[in-house]
Amino acid sequence: MASWETLVVGRPNVGERERLMRRLDGVLDRLWLTNNGPLVREFEERIARVAGTRHAVATCNATTGIQIAARAAGIRPGDEVIVPSFTWVATAHALEWIGIVPVFCDVDEATANADPEHVARLIGPRTRGILAVHVFGRPCEVDELTRLADEHGLVLLFDAAHALGCTYRGKPVGGFGTAEIFSFHATKFVNSVEGGVIVTDDDAYAARVRALRNQGIDPAGRIAGPGTVARMNEFCAAMGLTSLDAIDTIVTANRRNHAVYEEHLAGVPGVTVRGQLPGERANHQYLVIEVEQARAGISRETVLEDLLRYDVHARRYFSPICHQVEPYRSAPERHVPLPLPRAEALASRVLSLPTGPTVEPDDVAAICRVIRDSVSRAGRRLVA
Ligand code: T4K
């Protein structure tokens, strides 16, 4: 059983430490630290293989990756892009920071993903794109969103921060829309400390992305226009490769933990474990439960506090959601033209619990006992 200090959502998966050290030694021997070094190129090649795409371009993080992906697709300041509110705020902030206006859509509570019908209702004269999110690694309604984007001439991007290694209709996430963006932040199941990767099948687009990432310098070494500095460095790539080497072990542990959570929380009133898309490959990196207060007799906040008493560090992914925080909350006319009741309801119920290779089935059983006890205490209070 793991020590309680490891029962924390977002514990990084380092992989085999000796491999990491060997890679870091190589970086120091070569004295090639950044600017498209050999480890970054290797990382890009390997991510392109996982995603099944022709190109993968590594960035310093996914947030900057989203910005570059949007700019390379021709989305300009003042343009509107439809984004689900139920996501990490980085999805929206990435756009807002460069003057693109996120307009929030509601989600399907079952999938936690953008509801295409709601997206369709939001398309207006200033809409230039859709940035959908594969929330918790569960692929969103790719076909319907693609159809909508084609019909209205919109750019379609996917924030795939959670979805490395997942599939939609048997095809790896990565090859949909104009581009998809993965995150390799320390808290992701495969991590490069900080990092992102933009994947695409479009050669010309990939060349633009590469230039924008590196001060606008094109593959021929000419300055083709303005760009930013969003390169991944060799130290981050060393971690990314080492963590990626362990991907199968990590996913196996995540899948096992998911099954153990389901087994131990079965029958707890008002508590459900969110599932993945049947028949598709999933990475199970987020273990998310929903606490329905009316049936459980306690709120999600009480469960969170009870877990913390036992040093179990759960997280409210995602709550508050984008349109409930600034600057969006104070400008509903700009960002929230329609009510988002389903995203709000979902946000009030979700709680992410610890998983990953450092979390053993015994730990999961212990965490579930705490939840079960919280709910049954609430039940006894109701009866008394
Ligand atoms: N799109 C989506 C859908 C995303 O979820 C994210 C990021 C992005 C875009 C943007 O990707 P990046 O630009 O970051 O590549 C965390 C992550 O910081 C954030 O990257 C992630 N989503 C989000 C869902 O979770 P916080 O504020 O909860 O992070 P923090 O630092 O409080 O840590 C979370 C947990 O992880 C804690 O329990 C402590 C643990 N932890 C964290 C770090 C950094 C560790 O044990 N070790 C560590 O080194 O946002």
Side-chain angles (χ1 to χ4, degrees), residues 8-12 61-64 66 87-88 90-91 133 159 161-162 183-188 194-195 286 313 315 317-318:
V8 172
V9 169
R11 270 284 182 258
N61 55 54
T63 303
T64 315
I66 291 170
T87 178
W88 184 244
T91 314
V133 186
D159 176 339
H162 302 172
S183 170
F184 295 94
H185 179 259
T187 54
K188 297 292 181 282
E194 294 278 359
Y286 289 96
H313 297 253
R315 306 287 288 182
Y317 294 144
F318 298 105

Side-chain angles (χ1 to χ4, degrees), residues 276-292:
Q276 289 293 335
L277 204 52
E280 302 290 351
R281 203 171 62 216
N283 61 34
H284 298 274
Q285 69 170 307
Y286 289 96
L287 189 298
V288 183
I289 62 165
E290 289 182 42
V291 182
E292 203 184 320

